[in-house]
Amino acid sequence: MTQNASNGSLAQRKLIVGVTGSIAAFKAATLVRLLMQAGADVQTIMTHDAARFVTPLTFGTLSARKPLTDLFSDDGDWTKHVSLGLWADLMIIAPATAQTIAKLAHGFCDNMLTATALAARCEVLVCPAMDHDMSLHAAVEDNLRRLRAYGYHILPSRWGDLASGLVGRGRLQEPEDILEKVRSLLRPQMLKGKNVLVTAGPTREPIDPVRVVTNHSTGAMGFALAEALRDRGARVTLVCGPTPLDTPGDITRIDVTTADDMYEACLDHGEADCVFMAAAVADYAPAAPANSKLKKTSDELTITLRRTPDTLAELGRQKQQGQLLVGFAMETHDGIDSARGKLRAKNLDWIVLNNVLEDGAGFGFGTNRVTVLGRDGSVTPLDPMPKRKVADAILDRIYTPGKLSSSRR
């Protein structure tokens, strides 16, 4: 029997959705509908320019609350921005135009939306939307850096077709993606104060200066885990092999190349409270890499390989009392038996099994399909889903609210 990711109910959560003057405002209507379906209580705030794209009636109908547009209302309650800032569990600004981002970055509060954001005691999520060249302008990038420094959460815009007819960066994230970010921000911070080590990506073992032994890993699963752990309050150190993936915000990244490099980096940080070894580390490496490019001199070439150090096994040998150690196993056959063997032999608390031959699993896919095995003998298959959802489902299985969940009870 498979297990779905947690439904991420937002029941009784109080959310503000701020909408600014962008063609992407139509996506905000879908976002409000999704938030309401998840059980949230939603108050929308619109700038006057936002009402040029989507009417207040639309948001009022979807949220069952009259949208707020004016700082000075007819009822004389000019402090509503303060009471809303105390009321909300989270404020979401989607879309956030370059103008609104600039106002927030420099403390301007000339409308209901910006005044509420400045008065809010809750977390604020900013979802930019603008044209390509605007999004890359140094002033916009500097303003976003300022917001991050203030503690705002930024959900970067995407690459794609833009209203101007250009193709580039600046598209507002899809409502479903914003919803997932909202859920992650509202999850209990059960790992607050915990140091977590995550490994990701492949290693490259040199044959000569231009050729390597490697694998197809992109690092996406490890990066998704790092983000999910960060969103639950952990201080995350990400040790990753060669990958073009951007470093998630508020995560310390250590780049390595070979299995030996990864071994040393992981042992340097092996005192972490929790360790997730999701990297695809080469088991063998060329024993004597050539100092210059190997020339074609015959129809065959024999390369002697050596075993690389088993980082996971060494961490298992050095595991400290109370430390949580999670391994990952990539298999093509006899997966459950092989994973159980590794779980015992390497002194793991949990192991996550991935069969690369299954549909929707393996390297290079946006989705994954895994089975989580615990030392208590539990076996929990998860449905295929996007890798970030897989990461959250893994953590939901491993952790219980308020404490670390070791499978040894």
Side-chain angles (χ1 to χ4, degrees), residues 292-311:
S292 58
K293 180 182 176 182
L294 296 174
K295 300 295 186 180
K296 289 186 289 187
T297 57
S298 65
D299 293 336
E300 295 182 354
L301 174 66
T302 300
I303 298 175
T304 300
L305 302 179
R306 63 171 176 85
R307 278 291 302 269
T308 58
D310 192 330
T311 305

Side-chain angles (χ1 to χ4, degrees), residues 82 187 189 213 258 281 311:
V82 177
R187 284 192 176 95
Q189 298 290 287
V213 175
T258 67
V281 183
T311 305

Side-chain angles (χ1 to χ4, degrees), residues 22-351:
S22 163
I23 184 61
F26 79 91
K27 290 185 178 180
T30 301
L31 174 63
V32 170
R33 179 176 60 82
L34 293 175
L35 294 171
M36 293 292 291
Q37 288 177 344
D41 188 358
V42 180
Q43 173 64 65
T44 55
I45 302 176
M46 303 178 67
T47 64
H48 288 288
D49 284 340
R52 295 173 180 266
F53 294 94
V54 182
T55 67
L57 178 62
T58 298
F59 287 105
T61 303
L62 291 171
S63 66
R65 281 177 173 266
K66 181 181 177 180
L68 302 176
T69 55
D70 293 304
L71 190 56
F72 298 97
S73 59
D74 294 336
D75 60 10
D77 183 4
W78 61 272
T79 63
K80 189 168 289 186
H81 61 290
V82 177
S83 58
L84 273 177
L86 297 172
W87 170 82
D89 295 313
L90 178 70
M91 182 174 184
I92 308 143
I93 305 175
T97 60
Q99 172 80 339
T100 294
I101 289 169
K103 288 181 178 181
L104 294 174
H106 295 277
F108 287 83
C109 55
D110 59 351
N111 60 45
M112 185 64 179
L113 191 155
T114 54
T116 303
L118 287 177
R121 293 187 182 179
C122 63
E123 302 291 313
V124 179
L125 172 63
V126 177
C127 306
M130 62 197 73
D131 208 66
H132 175 76
D133 296 292
M134 295 173 68
S135 71
L136 297 181
H137 196 283
V140 174
E141 292 182 340
D142 184 61
N143 287 336
L144 288 172
R145 280 193 292 269
R146 283 175 176 264
L147 293 185
R148 288 190 180 95
Y150 296 158
Y152 286 64
H153 301 275
I154 310 297
L155 189 60
S157 57
R158 302 175 66 175
W159 187 280
D161 295 327
L162 303 172
S164 64
L166 297 177
V167 177
R169 185 172 298 281
R171 280 179 65 90
L172 179 68
Q173 291 272 357
E174 295 305 313
E176 294 79 6
D177 297 322
I178 300 174
L179 175 65
E180 286 305 310
K181 183 64 176 179
V182 169
R183 284 173 169 159
S184 70
L185 289 174
L186 292 174
R187 284 192 176 95
Q189 298 290 287
M190 64 182 66
L191 298 181
K192 191 172 183 63
K194 297 291 184 181
N195 293 311
V196 179
L197 173 65
V198 180
T199 66
T203 61
R204 290 179 183 167
E205 314 303 327
I207 297 172
D208 61 22
V210 297
R211 301 179 180 92
V212 296
V213 175
T214 189
N215 57 62
H216 299 296
S217 174
T218 63
M221 190 67 244
F223 275 60
L225 272 168
E227 289 182 338
L229 288 158
R230 175 205 62 196
D231 289 344
R232 296 179 189 225
R235 292 189 293 266
V236 180
T237 298
L238 177 63
V239 176
C240 59
T243 172
L245 297 177
D246 292 333
T247 308
D250 299 322
I251 288 175
T252 300
R253 175 170 174 169
I254 299 173
D255 288 304
V256 298
T257 301
T258 67
D260 290 338
D261 296 336
M262 186 162 287
Y263 179 84
E264 292 177 7
C266 289
L267 263 59
D268 285 343
H269 295 82
E271 76 286 350
D273 298 298
C274 321
V275 179
F276 288 79
M277 298 292 290
V281 183
D283 294 325
Y284 293 88
N291 293 324
S292 58
K293 180 182 176 182
L294 296 174
K295 300 295 186 180
K296 289 186 289 187
T297 57
S298 65
D299 293 336
E300 295 182 354
L301 174 66
T302 300
I303 298 175
T304 300
L305 302 179
R306 63 171 176 85
R307 278 291 302 269
T308 58
D310 192 330
T311 305
L312 186 56
E314 184 59 30
L315 289 174
R317 282 191 288 271
Q318 297 185 17
K319 188 165 68 169
Q320 303 166 15
Q321 181 69 29
Q323 187 179 44
L324 192 80
L325 185 56
V326 183
F328 282 69
M330 182 74 73
E331 303 290 350
T332 59
H333 61 283
D334 299 329
I336 296 293
D337 289 340
S338 178
R340 280 177 174 152
K342 291 179 180 178
L343 186 73
R344 292 188 296 268
K346 300 187 181 187
N347 194 25
L348 309 181
D349 295 292
W350 301 87
I351 192 164

Side-chain angles (χ1 to χ4, degrees), residues 375-396:
R375 286 191 65 157
D376 58 358
S378 62
V379 178
T380 308
L382 301 179
D383 291 331
M385 47 190 147
K387 288 183 177 177
R388 175 53 200 265
K389 288 189 175 182
V390 173
D392 283 317
I394 291 170
L395 299 186
D396 287 344

